[in-house]
Amino acid sequence: GSSWGAVGNIQTCTAQGFFNQLILGSPLYNLMLAIYYLLLGRYHMTEEEIAKRYELYMHAVAIVPSVGTAIAGIPLTLYNSANLWCWIAAYPTGSEGFNGQDSDIECERGHGAWLYRWVFFYAPLWFIIAAITVIMIMLTVSVRREEKRFIEMMQRRDPSKGANQTDQSIEDSTERDLSPFSDVFNLERSRKMFYQAVFYLGAFYMCWWAPTLNRMIQMINGESSFFFMLATAIFLPLQGFFNFLVYRHGPCVA
């Protein structure tokens, strides 16, 4: 099969498919970012401790699988036309179903592409989405627990204060005491960390919702959705831009 306006050959398609598979490194790095915020917020590790003990392993976890699967796809002849771009697909188009269904068309390249899509990309991606969601829940619980502990401490100091007055006391205390060893400093730092994590991971969800839903539709009816493919083409390349906005305008963790 062919795509309208497509230019190139097997070699250029293989090159594009290789670099498209490297995209797996993006969600893996988002998972490492979520773990980083978890270590900061829930376990109160410093940036220096994380860098010394875990940074090398975080880079390895993000880089090795993405580069390894991208290289493996070359001798397996997996990179062929996949609608909008070249990626893991059987050639000719239609020689293999999205879920491995038999076809009357003989497959020349990319045998078992449907399985490799799962092993090399969708299974890791969906695991990452689930893991990041769990980490966000853990961060939320951790920050709420710190806030509750701080409020209880403020109320023990002055039992006459109600909940609203206690919230105001937090704001007043934040303005008065931001030394690195104070409870107020830790609470404010946890809040900023939590919101920055939400923004970063929100950018991740914004970029990956479309390909995730498109794959679910493929599993159900064996066809891609034009709407979700268009949304994928628009949002997926913007993750770096969204991360830049968060970095420049989001809350800063000191």
Side-chain angles (χ1 to χ4, degrees):
S2 59
S3 300
W4 182 86
V7 177
N9 52 36
I10 291 177
Q11 287 72 32
T12 58
C13 188
T14 298
Q16 186 186 62
F18 172 84
F19 287 108
N20 279 338
Q21 178 58 26
L22 288 178
I23 292 175
L24 178 62
S26 176
L28 282 170
Y29 263 115
N30 273 99
L31 175 60
M32 296 304 104
L33 184 65
I35 293 173
Y36 167 80
Y37 280 117
L38 184 66
L39 294 175
L40 278 178
R42 183 179 176 88
Y43 299 103
H44 303 291
M45 295 183 65
T46 65
E47 293 182 359
E48 291 75 17
E49 287 178 309
I50 296 172
K52 183 178 180 180
R53 297 173 61 179
Y54 301 113
E55 184 176 5
L56 181 62
Y57 299 105
M58 287 178 169
H59 287 300
V61 168
I63 293 172
V64 172
S66 54
V67 174
T69 56
I71 293 174
I74 297 176
L76 292 170
T77 67
L78 293 178
Y79 302 132
N80 303 291
S81 175
N83 291 321
L84 294 178
W85 40 62
C86 291
W87 186 50
I88 300 174
Y91 179 85
T93 301
S95 59
E96 186 178 84
F98 286 114
N99 297 314
Q101 302 96 327
D102 293 331
S103 172
D104 295 331
I105 304 173
E106 183 180 356
C107 181
E108 299 176 13
R109 289 170 50 86
H111 296 276
W114 70 275
L115 180 59
Y116 285 107
R117 281 191 176 192
W118 275 107
V119 175
F120 284 5
F121 194 81
Y122 285 112
L125 174 64
W126 289 6
F127 169 79
I128 290 167
I129 291 174
I132 287 177
T133 302
V134 170
I135 289 172
M136 284 304 303
I137 293 173
M138 293 174 66
L139 274 173
T140 302
V141 171
S142 176
V143 171
R144 296 306 180 198
R145 185 182 294 123
E146 284 199 17
E147 288 183 341
K148 182 179 179 181
R149 181 181 63 83
F150 187 84
I151 290 172
E152 289 175 350
M153 180 187 70
M154 295 293 293
Q155 288 177 335
R156 282 198 298 270
R157 290 180 180 178
D158 188 352
S160 64
K161 291 183 179 292
N164 293 335
Q165 290 175 306
T166 303
D167 289 338
Q168 184 61 44
S169 296
I170 293 176
E171 299 298 329
D172 295 341
S173 299
T174 300
E175 295 177 1
R176 291 196 308 268
D177 188 0
L178 283 177
S179 68
F181 303 102
S182 70
D183 289 327
V184 179
F185 176 86
N186 289 331
L187 177 60
E188 183 65 13
R189 182 173 180 272
S190 295
R191 281 179 166 179
K192 287 184 177 180
M193 173 277 306
F194 172 73
Y195 288 122
Q196 194 165 29
V198 167
F199 291 145
Y200 270 124
L201 301 177
F204 169 76
Y205 287 128
M206 187 179 296
C207 293
W208 289 98
W209 67 271
T212 296
L213 293 178
N214 188 55
R215 181 57 185 167
M216 291 180 179
I217 292 174
Q218 288 176 347
M219 292 171 59
I220 295 171
N221 59 24
E223 296 181 357
S224 294
S225 163
F226 174 78
F227 171 77
F228 290 122
M229 289 174 62
L230 179 62
T232 298
I234 292 173
F235 286 102
L236 193 55
L238 291 175
Q239 182 161 351
F241 174 71
F242 292 145
N243 285 345
F244 168 77
L245 292 180
V246 175
Y247 178 79
R248 291 288 297 176
H249 302 291
C252 251
V253 180

